[in-house]
Coordinates of all heavy atoms in Angstrom, one line a residue:
M1 N 18.4 -25.0 -7.6 CA 17.4 -23.7 -7.6 C 16.9 -23.5 -6.1 O 16.7 -24.4 -5.3 CB 16.2 -24.2 -8.4 CG 15.2 -23.0 -8.5 SD 13.8 -23.3 -9.8 CE 12.9 -21.8 -9.6
K2 N 16.7 -22.2 -5.8 CA 16.3 -21.9 -4.4 C 14.8 -21.7 -4.5 O 14.2 -21.3 -5.5 CB 17.0 -20.6 -4.0 CG 18.4 -20.8 -3.8 CD 19.1 -19.5 -3.4 CE 20.5 -19.7 -3.0 NZ 21.4 -18.6 -3.3
F3 N 14.2 -21.7 -3.3 CA 12.8 -21.6 -3.2 C 12.3 -20.2 -3.6 O 11.4 -20.0 -4.2 CB 12.2 -21.9 -1.7 CG 10.8 -21.7 -1.6 CD1 10.0 -22.6 -1.9 CD2 10.3 -20.4 -1.0 CE1 8.6 -22.4 -1.8 CE2 9.0 -20.3 -1.0 CZ 8.2 -21.3 -1.3
S4 N 13.2 -19.2 -3.2 CA 12.9 -17.8 -3.6 C 12.9 -17.5 -5.0 O 12.5 -16.5 -5.5 CB 13.9 -16.9 -2.8 OG 15.2 -17.2 -3.2
E5 N 13.5 -18.4 -5.8 CA 13.4 -18.2 -7.3 C 12.3 -18.8 -7.9 O 12.0 -18.5 -9.2 CB 14.6 -19.0 -7.9 CG 16.0 -18.3 -7.5 CD 17.2 -19.1 -8.0 OE1 17.4 -19.1 -9.1 OE2 17.8 -19.9 -7.2
L6 N 11.4 -19.4 -7.2 CA 10.1 -20.0 -7.7 C 9.2 -18.8 -8.1 O 9.1 -17.8 -7.3 CB 9.4 -20.9 -6.7 CG 9.7 -22.4 -6.7 CD1 8.8 -23.0 -5.6 CD2 9.5 -23.0 -8.0
R7 N 8.5 -18.8 -9.2 CA 7.6 -17.8 -9.6 C 6.1 -18.3 -9.7 O 5.2 -17.5 -9.7 CB 8.0 -17.1 -10.9 CG 9.3 -16.3 -10.7 CD 9.2 -15.1 -9.9 NE 10.4 -14.4 -9.6 CZ 11.1 -14.7 -8.5 NH1 10.8 -15.6 -7.7 NH2 12.2 -13.9 -8.4
K8 N 6.1 -19.5 -9.6 CA 4.7 -20.2 -9.6 C 4.8 -21.6 -9.1 O 6.0 -22.2 -9.1 CB 4.0 -20.2 -11.0 CG 4.7 -20.7 -12.1 CD 4.1 -20.4 -13.4 CE 4.9 -20.9 -14.6 NZ 4.2 -20.6 -15.8
C9 N 3.7 -22.2 -8.8 CA 3.7 -23.6 -8.3 C 4.2 -24.5 -9.6 O 3.6 -24.4 -10.6 CB 2.4 -24.0 -7.8 SG 2.2 -25.8 -7.5
P10 N 5.2 -25.3 -9.4 CA 5.6 -26.1 -10.5 C 4.7 -27.3 -10.8 O 4.7 -27.9 -11.9 CB 7.0 -26.8 -9.9 CG 7.0 -26.5 -8.5 CD 6.0 -25.5 -8.1
F11 N 3.6 -27.5 -9.9 CA 2.6 -28.6 -10.2 C 1.5 -28.1 -10.9 O 1.0 -28.7 -11.9 CB 2.3 -29.3 -8.9 CG 3.3 -29.9 -8.1 CD1 3.8 -29.2 -7.0 CD2 3.9 -31.0 -8.5 CE1 4.8 -29.8 -6.2 CE2 5.0 -31.6 -7.7 CZ 5.5 -31.0 -6.6
C12 N 1.0 -26.9 -10.6 CA -0.2 -26.4 -11.2 C -0.1 -25.0 -11.7 O -1.1 -24.5 -12.3 CB -1.4 -26.5 -10.2 SG -1.3 -25.2 -8.9
G13 N 1.0 -24.3 -11.6 CA 1.0 -23.0 -12.1 C 0.4 -21.9 -11.2 O 0.5 -20.7 -11.7
N14 N -0.1 -22.2 -10.1 CA -0.6 -21.2 -9.2 C 0.4 -20.3 -8.7 O 1.6 -20.6 -8.5 CB -1.3 -21.9 -8.0 CG -2.0 -21.0 -7.0 OD1 -2.6 -20.1 -7.4 ND2 -2.0 -21.4 -5.7
D15 N 0.0 -19.0 -8.5 CA 1.0 -18.0 -8.1 C 1.0 -17.6 -6.6 O 1.5 -16.6 -6.1 CB 0.9 -16.7 -9.0 CG -0.5 -16.0 -8.8 OD1 -1.2 -16.6 -8.1 OD2 -0.6 -15.0 -9.5
E16 N 0.3 -18.4 -5.8 CA 0.5 -18.2 -4.3 C 0.7 -19.5 -3.5 O 0.5 -20.6 -4.0 CB -1.0 -17.7 -3.9 CG -1.3 -16.3 -4.3 CD -2.6 -15.7 -3.7 OE1 -3.2 -16.5 -2.9 OE2 -3.0 -14.7 -4.2
F17 N 1.3 -19.3 -2.4 CA 1.6 -20.4 -1.5 C 1.3 -20.0 -0.1 O 1.1 -18.7 0.2 CB 3.1 -20.9 -1.6 CG 4.1 -19.9 -1.2 CD1 4.5 -19.8 0.2 CD2 4.6 -18.9 -2.0 CE1 5.4 -19.0 0.6 CE2 5.5 -18.0 -1.6 CZ 5.9 -18.0 -0.2
Y18 N 1.2 -21.0 0.8 CA 1.0 -20.6 2.2 C 2.0 -21.3 3.1 O 2.6 -22.4 2.7 CB -0.4 -20.9 2.7 CG -0.8 -22.4 2.8 CD1 -0.6 -23.0 3.9 CD2 -1.2 -23.1 1.6 CE1 -0.9 -24.5 4.0 CE2 -1.6 -24.3 1.7 CZ -1.3 -25.1 2.9 OH -1.6 -26.4 3.0
T19 N 2.3 -20.8 4.3 CA 3.0 -21.5 5.3 C 2.1 -21.6 6.5 O 1.2 -20.7 6.7 CB 4.3 -20.6 5.7 OG1 4.0 -19.3 5.9 CG2 5.2 -20.7 4.5
N20 N 2.3 -22.5 7.4 CA 1.6 -22.7 8.6 C 2.2 -21.9 9.7 O 3.1 -22.4 10.5 CB 1.4 -24.2 9.0 CG 0.5 -24.9 8.1 OD1 -0.7 -24.3 7.8 ND2 0.8 -26.0 7.7
D21 N 1.9 -20.6 9.7 CA 2.5 -19.8 10.8 C 1.8 -19.9 12.2 O 0.7 -20.3 12.2 CB 2.5 -18.3 10.3 CG 3.3 -18.1 9.1 OD1 3.7 -19.1 8.4 OD2 3.7 -16.9 8.8
R22 N 2.5 -19.5 13.1 CA 1.9 -19.7 14.5 C 2.0 -18.2 15.1 O 2.9 -17.4 14.8 CB 2.7 -20.6 15.4 CG 2.5 -22.0 14.9 CD 3.1 -23.0 15.9 NE 4.6 -22.8 15.8 CZ 5.4 -22.7 16.8 NH1 4.9 -22.7 18.0 NH2 6.6 -22.5 16.7
F23 N 1.0 -18.0 15.9 CA 0.9 -16.7 16.7 C 0.9 -17.0 18.2 O 0.2 -17.9 18.6 CB -0.3 -15.9 16.3 CG -0.2 -15.4 14.9 CD1 -0.7 -16.4 13.9 CD2 0.3 -14.3 14.5 CE1 -0.7 -15.9 12.5 CE2 0.4 -13.9 13.1 CZ -0.1 -14.7 12.2
K24 N 1.6 -16.3 18.9 CA 1.7 -16.5 20.3 C 1.3 -15.2 21.1 O 1.8 -14.1 20.8 CB 3.1 -16.9 20.7 CG 3.2 -17.7 22.1 CD 4.6 -18.3 22.2 CE 5.7 -17.4 22.4 NZ 7.0 -18.1 22.5
G25 N 0.5 -15.4 22.1 CA 0.2 -14.2 22.9 C -1.4 -14.1 23.1 O -2.1 -15.1 22.8
S26 N -1.9 -13.1 23.6 CA -3.3 -12.8 23.7 C -3.7 -11.5 23.2 O -2.9 -10.6 23.1 CB -3.6 -13.0 25.2 OG -3.1 -12.0 25.9
S27 N -5.0 -11.3 22.9 CA -5.4 -10.1 22.3 C -7.0 -10.0 22.7 O -7.6 -10.9 23.0 CB -5.3 -10.1 20.8 OG -6.2 -10.9 20.1
A28 N -7.4 -8.7 22.5 CA -8.8 -8.5 22.7 C -9.7 -8.8 21.6 O -9.2 -8.5 20.4 CB -9.0 -6.9 23.1
Y29 N -10.6 -9.5 21.7 CA -11.6 -10.0 20.5 C -12.9 -9.4 20.8 O -13.6 -9.8 21.7 CB -11.5 -11.5 20.4 CG -12.4 -12.0 19.4 CD1 -12.2 -11.6 18.1 CD2 -13.5 -12.9 19.7 CE1 -13.0 -12.1 17.0 CE2 -14.3 -13.3 18.7 CZ -14.1 -13.0 17.3 OH -14.9 -13.4 16.3
N30 N -13.4 -8.4 19.9 CA -14.6 -7.8 20.1 C -15.8 -8.7 19.7 O -15.8 -9.3 18.6 CB -14.7 -6.5 19.3 CG -13.7 -5.5 19.8 OD1 -13.4 -5.4 21.0 ND2 -13.0 -5.0 18.8
Q31 N -16.8 -8.8 20.5 CA -18.0 -9.6 20.2 C -19.3 -8.8 20.5 O -19.2 -8.0 21.4 CB -18.0 -11.0 21.0 CG -16.7 -11.8 20.7 CD -16.9 -13.1 21.4 OE1 -17.7 -14.0 21.2 NE2 -16.1 -13.4 22.4
R32 N -20.3 -9.1 19.8 CA -21.6 -8.4 20.1 C -22.6 -9.2 20.8 O -22.6 -10.6 20.7 CB -22.3 -8.1 18.7 CG -21.6 -6.8 18.0 CD -22.2 -6.7 16.7 NE -23.6 -6.5 16.8 CZ -24.3 -5.3 16.7 NH1 -23.6 -4.3 16.6 NH2 -25.6 -5.2 16.8
F33 N -23.3 -8.6 21.7 CA -24.3 -9.4 22.4 C -25.3 -10.1 21.6 O -25.8 -11.2 22.0 CB -25.1 -8.5 23.5 CG -24.2 -8.0 24.6 CD1 -23.8 -6.7 24.5 CD2 -23.8 -8.8 25.6 CE1 -23.0 -6.1 25.6 CE2 -23.0 -8.3 26.7 CZ -22.5 -7.0 26.6
D34 N -25.7 -9.6 20.4 CA -26.6 -10.2 19.5 C -26.1 -11.3 18.6 O -26.8 -11.9 17.7 CB -27.4 -9.2 18.8 CG -26.5 -8.4 17.8 OD1 -25.3 -8.8 17.7 OD2 -27.0 -7.4 17.3
G35 N -24.8 -11.6 18.7 CA -24.1 -12.6 18.0 C -23.7 -12.2 16.5 O -23.1 -13.0 15.8
K36 N -24.0 -11.0 16.2 CA -23.6 -10.5 14.8 C -22.1 -10.1 14.9 O -21.6 -10.0 15.9 CB -24.5 -9.3 14.4 CG -25.8 -9.5 14.0 CD -26.6 -8.3 13.7 CE -28.1 -8.6 13.5 NZ -28.9 -7.4 13.5
E37 N -21.6 -9.9 13.7 CA -20.1 -9.7 13.6 C -19.8 -8.3 14.2 O -20.5 -7.4 14.0 CB -19.6 -9.7 12.2 CG -18.2 -9.8 12.1 CD -17.7 -9.9 10.6 OE1 -18.5 -10.4 9.8 OE2 -16.5 -9.6 10.3
A38 N -18.8 -8.3 15.0 CA -18.5 -7.0 15.7 C -18.0 -6.0 14.6 O -17.5 -6.4 13.6 CB -17.3 -7.3 16.7
Y39 N -18.0 -4.7 15.0 CA -17.7 -3.6 13.9 C -16.3 -3.7 13.5 O -16.0 -3.7 12.3 CB -18.1 -2.3 14.7 CG -17.5 -1.2 13.9 CD1 -18.1 -0.8 12.6 CD2 -16.5 -0.3 14.3 CE1 -17.7 0.2 11.9 CE2 -16.1 0.7 13.5 CZ -16.6 1.0 12.3 OH -16.3 2.0 11.6
D40 N -15.3 -4.1 14.4 CA -13.9 -4.0 14.0 C -13.1 -4.9 14.8 O -13.1 -4.7 16.1 CB -13.4 -2.5 14.1 CG -12.0 -2.4 13.6 OD1 -11.5 -3.4 13.0 OD2 -11.3 -1.4 13.8
N41 N -12.5 -5.9 14.2 CA -11.5 -6.7 15.0 C -10.1 -6.7 14.2 O -9.4 -7.6 14.4 CB -12.0 -8.2 15.0 CG -12.7 -8.5 16.4 OD1 -12.2 -8.0 17.4 ND2 -13.8 -9.1 16.3
S42 N -10.0 -5.5 13.5 CA -8.6 -5.5 12.8 C -7.5 -5.5 13.6 O -6.4 -5.7 13.2 CB -8.8 -4.3 11.8 OG -8.8 -3.1 12.6
Q43 N -7.6 -5.1 14.9 CA -6.5 -5.1 15.9 C -6.2 -6.4 16.5 O -5.3 -6.6 17.3 CB -6.8 -3.9 17.0 CG -7.6 -4.5 18.1 CD -8.9 -5.2 17.8 OE1 -9.5 -4.9 16.8 NE2 -9.4 -6.1 18.6
M44 N -6.9 -7.4 16.1 CA -6.9 -8.7 16.8 C -5.4 -9.3 16.9 O -5.1 -9.9 17.9 CB -7.7 -9.7 16.0 CG -8.1 -10.9 16.9 SD -9.4 -11.8 15.9 CE -9.0 -13.4 16.4
Y45 N -4.7 -9.1 15.8 CA -3.3 -9.8 15.8 C -2.3 -8.8 16.3 O -1.1 -9.2 16.4 CB -3.1 -10.4 14.4 CG -4.2 -11.3 14.0 CD1 -5.0 -11.0 13.0 CD2 -4.2 -12.7 14.6 CE1 -6.0 -11.9 12.7 CE2 -5.1 -13.4 14.1 CZ -6.0 -13.1 13.2 OH -7.1 -14.0 12.8
D46 N -2.6 -7.6 16.7 CA -1.6 -6.6 17.1 C -1.0 -7.2 18.4 O -1.7 -7.7 19.2 CB -2.2 -5.3 17.4 CG -2.7 -4.6 16.0 OD1 -2.4 -5.2 14.9 OD2 -3.3 -3.6 16.1
G47 N 0.3 -7.1 18.5 CA 0.9 -7.5 19.8 C 1.2 -9.0 19.9 O 1.7 -9.4 20.9
L48 N 0.8 -9.8 18.9 CA 1.0 -11.3 19.0 C 2.3 -11.5 18.4 O 2.8 -10.8 17.5 CB 0.0 -12.0 18.2 CG -1.5 -12.0 18.8 CD1 -2.3 -12.8 18.0 CD2 -1.5 -12.5 20.2
D49 N 3.0 -12.4 18.9 CA 4.3 -12.8 18.4 C 4.0 -13.7 17.2 O 3.3 -14.7 17.2 CB 5.2 -13.7 19.3 CG 5.8 -12.8 20.5 OD1 6.0 -11.6 20.1 OD2 6.0 -13.3 21.6
H50 N 4.6 -13.4 16.1 CA 4.3 -14.0 14.7 C 5.5 -15.0 14.5 O 6.7 -14.6 14.4 CB 4.2 -13.1 13.7 CG 4.1 -13.7 12.2 ND1 4.3 -13.0 11.1 CD2 3.7 -15.0 11.9 CE1 4.1 -13.8 10.1 NE2 3.7 -15.0 10.5
I51 N 5.3 -16.3 14.5 CA 6.3 -17.3 14.2 C 6.2 -17.8 12.8 O 5.2 -18.5 12.5 CB 6.3 -18.4 15.2 CG1 6.6 -17.9 16.6 CG2 7.4 -19.5 15.0 CD1 5.4 -18.0 17.6
Q52 N 7.2 -17.4 11.9 CA 7.1 -17.8 10.5 C 7.1 -19.3 10.4 O 8.0 -20.0 10.9 CB 8.2 -17.2 9.8 CG 8.6 -17.7 8.4 CD 7.6 -17.1 7.4 OE1 7.5 -15.9 7.2 NE2 6.9 -17.9 6.7
G53 N 6.2 -19.8 9.6 CA 6.2 -21.3 9.2 C 7.3 -21.6 8.2 O 7.5 -20.7 7.4
A54 N 7.9 -22.7 8.3 CA 9.0 -23.0 7.4 C 8.6 -23.7 6.0 O 9.0 -23.4 5.0 CB 10.1 -23.9 8.0
K55 N 7.6 -24.5 6.2 CA 7.2 -25.4 5.0 C 6.1 -24.6 4.2 O 5.1 -24.2 4.7 CB 6.6 -26.7 5.4 CG 7.9 -27.5 6.0 CD 7.3 -29.0 6.4 CE 8.4 -29.8 6.8 NZ 7.9 -31.1 7.1
A56 N 6.5 -24.5 2.9 CA 5.5 -23.9 2.0 C 4.8 -24.8 1.1 O 5.3 -25.8 0.7 CB 6.2 -22.9 1.0
Y57 N 3.4 -24.6 1.0 CA 2.5 -25.4 0.3 C 1.7 -24.5 -0.7 O 1.4 -23.4 -0.4 CB 1.5 -26.2 1.1 CG 2.2 -27.0 2.2 CD1 2.6 -26.6 3.5 CD2 2.3 -28.3 2.0 CE1 3.1 -27.3 4.4 CE2 3.0 -29.2 2.9 CZ 3.3 -28.6 4.1 OH 3.9 -29.4 5.1
C58 N 1.5 -25.1 -1.8 CA 0.6 -24.3 -2.9 C -0.7 -24.2 -2.3 O -1.3 -25.1 -1.7 CB 0.6 -25.2 -4.2 SG -0.6 -24.5 -5.4
N59 N -1.4 -23.1 -2.4 CA -2.7 -22.9 -1.8 C -3.8 -23.2 -2.8 O -4.9 -23.0 -2.6 CB -2.9 -21.5 -1.2 CG -3.0 -20.4 -2.2 OD1 -3.0 -20.6 -3.4 ND2 -3.3 -19.2 -1.8
N60 N -3.4 -23.9 -4.1 CA -4.3 -24.4 -5.0 C -4.4 -25.9 -5.0 O -5.3 -26.5 -4.8 CB -4.1 -23.8 -6.4 CG -5.0 -24.3 -7.4 OD1 -6.3 -24.2 -7.2 ND2 -4.6 -24.9 -8.4
C61 N -3.2 -26.6 -5.2 CA -3.1 -28.0 -5.3 C -2.5 -28.6 -3.9 O -2.6 -29.7 -3.8 CB -2.2 -28.4 -6.4 SG -0.5 -28.1 -6.2
F62 N -2.2 -27.7 -3.0 CA -1.7 -28.2 -1.6 C -0.5 -29.1 -1.6 O -0.2 -29.8 -0.6 CB -3.0 -28.8 -0.9 CG -4.2 -27.9 -0.8 CD1 -5.1 -28.2 -1.6 CD2 -4.2 -26.8 0.0 CE1 -6.3 -27.3 -1.7 CE2 -5.3 -26.0 0.0 CZ -6.4 -26.3 -0.7
K63 N 0.3 -29.0 -2.7 CA 1.5 -29.9 -2.6 C 2.6 -29.1 -1.9 O 2.6 -27.9 -2.0 CB 1.9 -30.2 -4.1 CG 0.9 -31.3 -4.6 CD 1.3 -31.7 -6.1 CE 0.5 -32.8 -6.5 NZ 0.4 -33.0 -7.9
Y64 N 3.5 -29.9 -1.3 CA 4.7 -29.2 -0.7 C 5.6 -28.6 -1.7 O 6.0 -29.4 -2.7 CB 5.4 -30.3 0.1 CG 6.6 -29.8 0.8 CD1 6.5 -28.9 1.8 CD2 7.9 -30.4 0.5 CE1 7.8 -28.4 2.4 CE2 9.0 -30.0 1.1 CZ 8.9 -28.9 2.0 OH 10.1 -28.6 2.7
L65 N 6.0 -27.4 -1.5 CA 6.9 -26.7 -2.5 C 8.3 -26.5 -2.0 O 9.2 -26.6 -2.8 CB 6.3 -25.4 -2.8 CG 4.8 -25.5 -3.4 CD1 4.4 -24.0 -3.6 CD2 4.8 -26.2 -4.7
G66 N 8.5 -26.4 -0.7 CA 9.8 -26.1 -0.3 C 9.9 -25.5 1.1 O 8.8 -25.2 1.7
N67 N 11.0 -25.1 1.5 CA 11.2 -24.5 2.9 C 11.7 -23.1 2.7 O 12.7 -22.8 2.2 CB 12.3 -25.3 3.6 CG 12.5 -24.9 5.1 OD1 12.5 -23.8 5.4 ND2 12.4 -26.0 5.9
V68 N 10.9 -22.1 3.3 CA 11.2 -20.8 3.2 C 12.3 -20.3 4.0 O 12.9 -19.2 3.8 CB 9.9 -19.8 3.3 CG1 8.9 -20.1 2.3 CG2 9.3 -20.0 4.7
I69 N 12.5 -21.0 5.1 CA 13.6 -20.5 6.0 C 15.0 -21.0 5.5 O 15.9 -20.2 5.4 CB 13.4 -21.3 7.4 CG1 12.0 -21.0 8.0 CG2 14.5 -20.8 8.3 CD1 11.8 -19.6 8.6
T70 N 15.1 -22.3 5.1 CA 16.3 -22.7 4.5 C 16.5 -22.3 3.1 O 17.5 -22.6 2.4 CB 16.5 -24.2 4.6 OG1 15.5 -24.8 3.9 CG2 16.4 -24.8 6.2
N71 N 15.4 -21.9 2.5 CA 15.3 -21.5 1.1 C 15.6 -22.6 0.1 O 16.1 -22.5 -1.0 CB 16.3 -20.4 0.8 CG 15.9 -19.6 -0.5 OD1 14.8 -19.7 -0.9 ND2 16.8 -18.7 -1.0
K72 N 15.3 -23.9 0.6 CA 15.4 -25.1 -0.3 C 14.0 -25.4 -0.9 O 13.1 -25.5 -0.3 CB 15.9 -26.3 0.5 CG 17.4 -26.1 0.8 CD 17.8 -27.5 1.3 CE 19.4 -27.4 1.5 NZ 19.8 -28.3 2.6
I73 N 14.1 -25.9 -2.2 CA 13.0 -26.4 -2.9 C 12.7 -27.8 -2.6 O 13.6 -28.6 -2.4 CB 13.2 -26.0 -4.4 CG1 11.8 -26.2 -5.1 CG2 14.2 -27.0 -5.0 CD1 11.9 -25.5 -6.5
G74 N 11.4 -28.1 -2.5 CA 11.1 -29.6 -2.2 C 11.6 -30.5 -3.3 O 11.7 -30.1 -4.5
K75 N 11.8 -31.8 -3.0 CA 12.3 -32.8 -4.0 C 11.3 -33.0 -5.1 O 11.7 -33.0 -6.4 CB 12.7 -34.1 -3.4 CG 14.0 -34.2 -2.7 CD 14.5 -35.6 -2.4 CE 15.8 -35.5 -1.8 NZ 16.0 -36.4 -0.7
N76 N 10.0 -33.2 -4.8 CA 9.0 -33.4 -5.8 C 8.8 -32.1 -6.6 O 8.5 -32.2 -7.9 CB 7.8 -33.9 -5.2 CG 7.8 -35.4 -4.8 OD1 8.6 -36.1 -5.2 ND2 7.0 -35.6 -3.7
A77 N 8.9 -31.0 -6.0 CA 8.8 -29.7 -6.8 C 9.9 -29.6 -7.7 O 9.7 -29.1 -8.8 CB 8.8 -28.6 -5.8
E78 N 11.1 -29.9 -7.4 CA 12.2 -29.9 -8.2 C 12.1 -30.9 -9.4 O 12.4 -30.5 -10.6 CB 13.5 -30.3 -7.4 CG 14.9 -29.8 -8.1 CD 15.8 -29.4 -7.1 OE1 16.0 -30.1 -6.2 OE2 16.4 -28.3 -7.4
K79 N 11.5 -31.9 -9.1 CA 11.3 -33.0 -10.2 C 10.3 -32.4 -11.2 O 10.3 -32.5 -12.4 CB 10.7 -34.2 -9.6 CG 11.9 -35.2 -9.2 CD 11.1 -36.6 -8.7 CE 12.1 -37.3 -7.9 NZ 11.4 -38.3 -7.1
A80 N 9.3 -31.7 -10.7 CA 8.2 -31.2 -11.5 C 8.8 -30.1 -12.4 O 8.4 -29.8 -13.5 CB 7.0 -30.6 -10.7
L81 N 9.8 -29.3 -11.8 CA 10.4 -28.3 -12.6 C 11.2 -28.8 -13.7 O 11.3 -28.2 -14.8 CB 11.3 -27.5 -11.7 CG 10.7 -26.5 -10.7 CD1 11.7 -25.9 -9.8 CD2 10.0 -25.2 -11.5
A82 N 11.8 -30.0 -13.5 CA 12.6 -30.7 -14.5 C 11.8 -31.2 -15.6 O 12.3 -31.3 -16.8 CB 13.5 -31.7 -13.8
H83 N 10.5 -31.5 -15.4 CA 9.7 -32.0 -16.4 C 8.4 -31.1 -16.4 O 7.3 -31.6 -15.9 CB 9.3 -33.5 -16.0 CG 10.5 -34.4 -15.9 ND1 11.2 -34.7 -17.0 CD2 11.1 -34.9 -14.8 CE1 12.2 -35.5 -16.6 NE2 12.2 -35.6 -15.3
P84 N 8.5 -30.0 -16.9 CA 7.4 -29.0 -16.8 C 6.2 -29.5 -17.7 O 6.4 -30.0 -18.7 CB 8.0 -27.7 -17.4 CG 9.3 -28.1 -18.0 CD 9.7 -29.4 -17.5
T85 N 5.2 -29.2 -17.0 CA 3.8 -29.4 -17.8 C 3.4 -28.0 -18.4 O 4.2 -27.1 -18.3 CB 2.7 -29.9 -16.8 OG1 2.5 -28.9 -15.9 CG2 3.0 -31.2 -16.1
E86 N 2.3 -28.1 -19.1 CA 1.9 -26.8 -19.6 C 1.6 -25.7 -18.7 O 2.1 -24.5 -18.9 CB 0.7 -27.1 -20.6 CG 1.0 -27.6 -21.9 CD -0.3 -27.8 -22.8 OE1 -1.3 -27.1 -22.6 OE2 -0.3 -28.7 -23.5
K87 N 1.0 -26.1 -17.6 CA 0.7 -25.0 -16.6 C 1.9 -24.8 -15.8 O 2.1 -23.5 -15.4 CB -0.5 -25.6 -15.7 CG -1.7 -25.5 -16.3 CD -2.8 -25.9 -15.3 CE -4.0 -26.5 -15.8 NZ -4.8 -27.1 -14.7
G88 N 2.6 -25.7 -15.3 CA 3.7 -25.5 -14.3 C 5.1 -25.2 -15.0 O 5.2 -24.7 -16.2
G89 N 6.1 -25.5 -14.3 CA 7.4 -25.2 -14.9 C 8.0 -23.7 -14.6 O 7.1 -22.9 -14.0
V90 N 9.1 -23.5 -14.9 CA 9.8 -22.2 -14.6 C 9.5 -21.3 -15.7 O 9.5 -21.6 -16.9 CB 11.3 -22.5 -14.4 CG1 11.9 -21.1 -13.9 CG2 11.6 -23.6 -13.6
D91 N 9.2 -20.1 -15.2 CA 9.0 -19.0 -16.1 C 10.3 -18.3 -16.4 O 10.8 -17.5 -15.5 CB 8.0 -18.0 -15.7 CG 7.6 -16.9 -16.7 OD1 8.1 -17.0 -17.9 OD2 6.8 -16.1 -16.4
N92 N 10.9 -18.5 -17.5 CA 12.3 -17.9 -17.8 C 12.2 -16.6 -18.5 O 13.2 -16.0 -18.9 CB 13.1 -18.9 -18.6 CG 13.6 -20.0 -17.8 OD1 14.0 -19.9 -16.7 ND2 13.5 -21.2 -18.4
A93 N 10.9 -16.1 -18.7 CA 10.7 -14.9 -19.6 C 10.7 -13.6 -18.8 O 10.5 -12.5 -19.3 CB 9.3 -15.0 -20.3
R94 N 11.1 -13.7 -17.6 CA 11.1 -12.5 -16.7 C 12.3 -11.6 -17.0 O 13.3 -12.1 -17.4 CB 10.8 -12.8 -15.3 CG 12.1 -13.6 -14.6 CD 11.7 -13.9 -13.2 NE 12.5 -15.0 -12.7 CZ 13.6 -14.8 -12.0 NH1 14.0 -13.6 -11.6 NH2 14.4 -15.7 -11.6
Ligands
ZN1 ZN1 0.0 -25.9 -7.0

């Protein structure tokens, strides 16, 4: 099974994951003299180089799920898929 075929976390059933991405470069960051939040910093990441993180982790149970670059699923995640719990496991109903 490929990582891209996962539809939810095999450990807890969560439908989101995260990768530790990196950004390289510099940008303007607006600040206020009074310490309150600046009106708009939505441009903050514009112009930064985005380096995609390879390792994917569940953002609920924080377990390692697999590698999004090589598209390989983690060993423990694969085991969890083979022995699905009520929450986890593969959704074959799509
Ligand atoms: Zn999880």
Side-chain angles (χ1 to χ4, degrees):
M1 184 173 178
K2 289 177 177 151
F3 180 81
S4 60
E5 293 173 76
L6 274 183
R7 289 297 172 265
K8 56 187 176 179
C9 171
F11 300 106
C12 73
N14 184 37
D15 62 358
E16 288 187 5
F17 65 93
Y18 69 91
T19 52
N20 285 316
D21 293 17
R22 289 182 296 131
F23 296 88
K24 201 165 74 179
S26 62
S27 70
Y29 177 61
N30 301 318
Q31 300 184 65
R32 285 173 55 99
F33 290 107
D34 62 9
K36 290 177 185 163
E37 195 174 337
Y39 173 66
D40 183 16
N41 264 316
S42 59
Q43 85 303 333
M44 198 173 147
Y45 302 106
D46 293 355
L48 294 184
D49 289 329
H50 177 196
I51 299 111
Q52 166 81 56
K55 291 182 172 178
Y57 301 88
C58 175
N59 72 0
N60 180 55
C61 69
F62 303 106
K63 285 181 175 156
Y64 176 63
L65 301 179
N67 189 310
V68 296
I69 306 279
T70 62
N71 203 13
K72 277 189 180 161
I73 194 163
K75 273 193 180 143
N76 286 336
E78 196 143 48
K79 274 185 203 163
L81 283 172
H83 305 283
T85 61
E86 275 182 33
K87 284 190 209 163
V90 190
D91 185 5
N92 290 318
R94 67 189 160 92

